Structure formats: C-alpha cells, structure tokens
C-alpha cells in the first residue's frame, strides 16, 4: 500500500497541474519506499528526481501565472523558492550522512497538501480563464484554416 494516497480534495480542476501534483505524490511514495530500503544510492537518486521534478513543476506554474497576469504571482514564486531551499537543506544533510527520513517525509507531505489547497487554489480562476481563451483561440485558428483550404492558407 502506498505511503500517501492522492485525494480528490487536492484537485484544482486544471488537468495539467493536477497531473503534475499527482506525479509529486507518486515521487513522495517512491522516496518513502527508497528510505525503507536504507540503500543510500537509491535514496540519493530518488531525492534528485523529486528535486528536479519539483523545480520544473514550479517553473511551469510560474509561467502559467505570469501568462495569466495573476496578481499574486510574485509572492507565490517566493513560496516556491523557500520550499526549494528547504528541500536543498535536507539534501545537504543527507549528503553529510544524516538520517533525514521522518522529517523529510512529514514536511514534504504537509507542505505539498497545504500549498495545493491554500496557495495553488488561489490562482485557479485566473489561470483557467487564460487557458480557456488560449484554447478558444486555437480552435478558431483551426476552423479558419480549414475554411480557407490548404492552398489559400498557404498562398492566400
Ligand atoms: Fe504552487
């Protein structure tokens, strides 16, 4: 049984983000499984995976918030940065030979849940509107090029 199960209450309703959050939960489960093996190489490789996935997820979210013109994008980015600093601190302690098992798992789980249901939910409406507009625009573009036919689209 997984250490941490995804709960529908974590869903924002933005598929691409929900899938990335699910992946983070999956990573935390992988980390828990690696920690129980006490295999330092295995733990180290999962830690690298969790850190790099978290970084790219945060960068993705930050890009969406900026594109959407979300007013709290700056403070949200600061929260991301402070979390990255926390993960890096754990990673350094691990590299120095400390046992980070219990604290790291608890902190990751509490932080992620809190962040999703309190901070991420706040950008939902703004980002959703931007994505819908983008979608409508690309549908219109496709319809327009279909109407014109390939010759007119290319040479018209
Ligand atoms: Fe976030």
């Amino acid at each position: 049984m997984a250490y941490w199960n995804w709960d529908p209450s974590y869903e924002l309703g933005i598929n691409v983000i929900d899938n990335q959050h699910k992946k983070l939960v999956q990573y935390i489960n992988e980390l828990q499984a690696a920690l129980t093996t006490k295999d330092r190489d295995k733990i180290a490789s999962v830690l690298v995976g969790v850190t790099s996935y978290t970084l790219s997820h945060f960068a993705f979210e930050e890009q969406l918030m900026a594109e959407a013109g979300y007013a709290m994008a700056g403070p949200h980015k600061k929260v991301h940065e402070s979390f990255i600093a926390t993960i890096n601190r754990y990673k350094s302690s691990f590299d120095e030979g400390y046992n980070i098992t219990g604290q790291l798992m608890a902190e990751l789980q509490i932080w992620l849940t809190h962040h999703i249901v309190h901070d991420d939910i706040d950008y939902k409406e703004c980002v959703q509107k931007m994505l819908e507009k983008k979608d409508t625009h690309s549908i219109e573009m496709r319809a327009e090029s279909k109407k014109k036919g390939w010759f007119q689209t290319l040479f018209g």
Side-chain angles (χ1 to χ4, degrees), residues 17 26 43 63-64 77 86 103 117:
I17 296 290
Q26 201 180 310
I43 299 168
Q63 199 189 323
L64 284 187
K77 191 171 185 228
T86 306
Q103 293 149 287
V117 302

Side-chain angles (χ1 to χ4, degrees), residues 58-75:
F58 284 173
F60 182 80
E61 264 190 9
E62 286 159 17
Q63 199 189 323
L64 284 187
M65 289 188 283
E67 249 182 271
Y70 173 57
M72 298 300 281

Side-chain angles (χ1 to χ4, degrees), residues 136-150 152-153:
T136 314
H137 180 69
S138 74
I139 290 167
E140 277 166 5
M141 292 280 285
R142 277 201 301 272
E144 192 60 23
S145 71
K146 235 182 192 171
K147 205 164 64 191
K148 282 183 181 168
W150 69 270
Q152 260 191 312
T153 304

Side-chain angles (χ1 to χ4, degrees), residues 54-115:
T54 305
L55 277 172
S56 49
H57 164 64
F58 284 173
F60 182 80
E61 264 190 9
E62 286 159 17
Q63 199 189 323
L64 284 187
M65 289 188 283
E67 249 182 271
Y70 173 57
M72 298 300 281
H76 197 124
K77 191 171 185 228
K78 287 258 179 295
V79 174
H80 285 171
E81 283 164 0
S82 105
F83 185 65
I84 291 295
T86 306
I87 295 194
N88 284 335
R89 265 199 307 277
Y90 276 111
K91 175 82 172 58
S92 304
S93 300
F94 174 79
D95 291 340
E96 287 161 20
Y98 290 101
N99 179 5
I100 55 163
T101 324
Q103 293 149 287
L104 176 62
M105 296 311 300
E107 187 140 355
L108 281 176
Q109 193 177 359
I110 291 168
W111 190 91
L112 192 63
T113 313
H114 183 276
H115 185 64

